[in-house]
Amino acid sequence: MKSLLLLSSLVSYTYSAVVPRAEEQVDYSGFKVVRLELPEANSDIEAQIEELAAHVLNPGKTSHLDVVVAPESVDAVTALVTESSIINEDVGAALAEEGELLIQEVPAESWFTAYHSYADHLTFLRDLQGGFTSQSEIFTTGSSVQGRALTGIHIWGSGGKGSKPAVVIHGTVHAREWISTMTTEYFAWQLLTKYAGNATVKALVDKFDYYIIPVVNPDGFVYSQTTDRLWRKNRQTVSSSSCVGRDINRNWPYKWEVPGGASTNPCSETYKGQTAGDSPENLGLRTQINQLRDSGGVTLYLDIHSYGQYILWPYGYDCNLVVHNDAQHRSLATRAAAAIRAVSGTRYTIGPACATLYATTGDSTDYTDGVGNATYSYTYELRDTGNYGFTLPASQIQPTVRETWEGLVSMVKDA
Ligand SMILES: [Zn+2]
């Protein structure tokens, strides 16, 4: 999926298209790389674009064209389509930095039509970040049992890096919930690729700093791909048992000791661990939450799971307790569920976690509420309601990520 284009070879390749005499070097100062979203029937428009562009970087693509354009032609080219974004502001300046002369192709939307390996998910994040270096960076927070860094992307808007309160999004804490990886990645992809051309998205990105970790349980995720598709936990051992794995979402050190919402049996799917927070993955995640709490604060926390189609908020550990801002939680969730349903009819059930679904102790949203001081903490349980369960077909990835995106948009607007 990674496509690198050496600009030095671009120069020689486009030479004849730009100037008639092959001996002269083209001066690309001020030239821009523009991404143009194409309408369905586009042959006519494509021809007009090619006439105006110095070079087409991805000929044959049906969804969009990336073109190198002279500064005086940018307006004419972008006027041909309804959606466009500038990927590179100055091709000439990039050429001047010999040794780093490459355009890293931003992942295409076709990424969201299939499931992918863990290595490819890391490549996706790096390629995405590489296309938007002035408003994003890759970060890590701790590592897994087997030494894989918990890797995420930090996205910010016009206020600059770290200037706004945080929206924190975690995916794939349960290894088999593959649709949650795709959904969290889609959030990041939308926020960055639509920022320049979509006023709604720009407002969302300018409002908060986003910290998105698509796979917070990398060992379990890899194991679910290599060995056991339905693996849930991490890959941590205990001396007292031959069974493997803690449920990272029963391991957070807040109300961890309360009985009934997790298992003390290492062989159980919901094994809580030997002591509160004793998984390295949880250490990394709570360190992130605590740091953001102590800097700009956390406004919205989302933990993305599957399946069941629920939007849940604290508390998990006690079915009779009501969070102090329960009404506001309900209000945001109600509108988000309506926004999701408006896309393709998918119905979500909403409510406090314990009372609505089941009791959970040591879970993420109780921690982000009780210790992280997040204003809003939600668990999403994505499609479906059990027909396919964890093994949601690839054909449902795009419908799922698109509808869930509208839920995020709604929540961020309201938060
Ligand atoms: Zn889950």
Side-chain angles (χ1 to χ4, degrees), residues 173-174 177 232 305-306 381:
V173 65
H174 293 142
E177 298 167 8
R232 169 184 170 98
H305 294 246
S306 74
E381 297 281 357

Side-chain angles (χ1 to χ4, degrees), residues 370-384:
V371 182
N373 297 337
T375 312
Y376 299 102
S377 298
Y378 292 100
T379 297
Y380 273 67
E381 297 281 357
L382 303 175
R383 287 194 194 190
D384 54 12

Side-chain angles (χ1 to χ4, degrees), residues 292-306:
L292 291 171
R293 173 197 64 197
D294 296 340
S295 50
V298 179
T299 298
L300 176 64
Y301 172 78
L302 302 181
D303 197 3
I304 310 296
H305 294 246
S306 74

